[in-house]
Amino acid sequence: MPQIKKFLYVNRKAPHGSIYALESLEVVLVGAAFDQDVSLAFIDDGVYQLMLNQNTNGIGVKNFSPTYRALSDYDINQIYVEKESLELRGLKQEDLLPLTWEDEDEDWAEKDSIQVVSSEELGDIIDKQDIIFNF
Amino acid sequence: MSVLHIINKSPFEKNSLDTCLRLAKKGSAILLIEDAIYAAQKNTAVADKIIAAVARHSVFALAPDLDARGIDESTVVDGISLVDYEGFVRLATEYHAVQSWL
Amino acid sequence: MSIELDGKSYETDEEGYLVNMGDWNDALASAMAREDGAELDSNHWEVINFLRDYYEEYQIAPAVRVLTKAIGKRMGKEKGTSKYLYELFPYGPAKQACKYAGLPKPTGCV
């Protein structure tokens, strides 16, 4: 049995101005097949990826923001958002998608996937990773 | 060993350096390559940040990138170690994980 | 490439996936299945409709293991197995069922 590694995907770009956010999401979903310990971090403009109420009809590109809600189906339940990045942009957690997952071990209790963490806490999380991908 | 943080963007164009310094744990290493080596110079607007970083981290800069950009080694902030490509590879193997800030 | 139905032509890619999701309807799904020599029954439709709902909600086609788990949860444990889904869609549940459901080909899945 190969050892399970800790994978962190670091997202630091806003969603529709470049291809990074969508590419990251696709890599995350494909990579989920490998049954590793996956978490996502949203830092700097990356926090804009999780904004509620995105509507891309007017700019003619796919709105992939609903796809973040599918992450829990792929057993990706550790989504870290840096508090400082939110604050710098005048945002609160309520401005973000309400991402949740159901905990099988606790009778399918619904839990938040998003954890707003300080730079200090996120630094600790980064330090514990085996593999870090940047987008 | 902890994480090797690599930065390759100019601190005057991107916020990669600031974000890295905000998140990197004490004792982790920071390697400046490509346009990020402009952050290594004395007397810039970001020099104070780098001086503070040297106290918390091992800070390295890739010498060939300094040379290519006409940055003299004598103008580099004290405490920053210069490495060649071999040193770069050695650092990447010495640390548990590599975080390349885009 | 294209698929013809009742005198109308619908554009597909080289693997037979509909280019415009808006073209899709039940009859077109059945026509695509017939081209593969398959006849759709209520079990097939259960999966196809699930995939369409899933896409509508999340804007992606689910990976096979996600599909399997979700079908089992929604339609009963005996249906939540890859054996069951492969019997329905021998060319690969996600791939073949997505095609009939008018969804884009799922990335990185069978």
Side-chain angles (χ1 to χ4, degrees):
Chain A
M1 183 81 182
Q3 196 199 338
I4 290 185
K5 293 205 158 152
K6 289 178 79 67
F7 280 62
L8 176 69
Y9 293 86
V10 174
N11 301 283
R12 292 180 52 235
K13 305 274 198 291
H16 307 299
S18 69
I19 194 71
Y20 286 96
L22 178 56
E23 290 279 316
S24 173
L25 191 52
E26 289 190 340
V27 173
V28 167
L29 292 172
V30 172
F34 296 101
D35 282 329
Q36 302 293 319
D37 179 5
V38 174
S39 52
L40 274 53
F42 293 86
I43 307 170
D44 296 336
D45 281 354
V47 301
Y48 289 130
Q49 293 178 27
L50 300 178
M51 288 291 283
L52 265 176
N53 301 327
Q54 296 180 46
N55 179 345
T56 59
N57 290 343
I59 61 170
V61 299
K62 179 170 164 157
N63 180 7
F64 52 88
S65 68
T67 307
Y68 293 103
R69 288 191 290 106
L71 288 170
S72 62
D73 289 345
Y74 290 75
D75 299 320
I76 296 169
N77 311 319
Q78 306 172 85
I79 300 179
Y80 302 107
V81 176
E82 195 206 15
K83 187 164 168 273
E84 285 76 354
S85 298
L86 281 181
E87 283 171 355
L88 275 171
R89 289 160 182 78
L91 298 174
K92 295 196 168 61
Q93 186 168 356
E94 302 86 84
D95 299 311
L96 306 181
L97 296 161
L99 304 181
T100 57
W101 63 290
E102 292 174 342
D103 192 342
E104 206 172 335
D105 299 332
E106 290 185 27
D107 198 24
W108 306 101
E110 193 175 85
K111 297 185 173 177
D112 279 331
S113 299
I114 292 184
Q115 295 174 55
V116 176
V117 293
S118 68
S119 311
E120 186 72 25
E121 291 167 304
L122 190 51
D124 287 332
I125 290 159
I126 291 172
D127 231 43
K128 291 194 190 99
Q129 302 303 315
D130 297 308
I131 314 275
I132 309 170
F133 292 107
N134 283 271
F135 290 93
Chain B
M1 281 296 248
S2 73
V3 173
L4 172 66
H5 295 270
I6 300 178
I7 306 173
N8 75 339
K9 297 290 191 298
S10 162
F12 308 108
E13 189 199 352
K14 301 274 186 190
N15 64 356
S16 310
L17 177 70
D18 284 330
T19 302
C20 172
L21 293 179
R22 193 167 74 233
L23 292 163
K25 301 307 288 184
K26 191 168 194 292
S28 59
I30 297 172
L31 170 62
L32 307 171
I33 65 169
E34 299 169 19
D35 288 348
I37 62 93
Y38 293 119
Q41 274 197 296
K42 291 173 187 161
N43 301 321
T44 72
V46 301
D48 286 347
K49 293 177 189 173
I50 290 295
I51 292 164
V54 167
R56 283 171 53 88
H57 306 277
S58 308
V59 182
F60 304 90
L62 191 62
D65 281 327
L66 289 169
D67 298 341
R69 288 162 181 77
I71 305 294
D72 194 273
E73 292 178 9
S74 65
T75 69
V76 168
V77 167
D78 293 336
I80 295 182
S81 314
L82 299 183
V83 292
D84 55 14
Y85 285 107
E86 223 171 275
F88 185 164
V89 173
R90 198 172 56 246
L91 285 173
T93 59
E94 277 172 8
Y95 286 81
H96 176 66
V98 173
Q99 160 61 352
S100 295
W101 297 93
L102 285 178
Chain C
M1 284 180 64
S2 66
I3 180 164
E4 318 297 323
L5 182 68
D6 298 333
K8 276 177 83 178
S9 177
Y10 301 91
E11 197 186 344
T12 65
D13 69 11
E14 66 277 12
E15 291 174 278
Y17 289 81
L18 276 184
V19 169
N20 302 306
M21 286 180 61
D23 287 347
W24 188 88
N25 58 51
D26 289 19
L28 203 51
S30 300
M32 287 195 277
R34 271 197 304 278
E35 286 212 332
D36 292 339
E39 200 60 50
L40 300 179
D41 64 21
S42 62
N43 289 324
H44 293 100
W45 280 109
E46 226 171 40
V47 177
I48 291 170
N49 289 328
F50 173 82
L51 282 172
R52 289 191 61 84
D53 289 347
Y54 195 94
Y55 193 91
E56 172 69 23
E57 185 160 0
Y58 300 119
Q59 300 296 305
I60 48 162
V64 183
R65 103 186 140 94
V66 173
L67 175 68
T68 311
K69 208 166 137 186
I71 292 281
K73 209 170 160 186
R74 197 184 282 205
M75 291 144 198
K77 240 168 115 179
E78 71 286 355
K79 294 184 174 179
T81 66
S82 51
K83 183 171 178 287
Y84 172 78
L85 291 168
Y86 268 96
E87 277 166 7
L88 283 181
F89 300 100
Y91 296 108
K95 217 166 153 184
Q96 192 180 4
C98 281
K99 189 165 95 173
Y100 302 159
L103 307 184
K105 190 182 167 188
T107 41
C109 56
V110 280

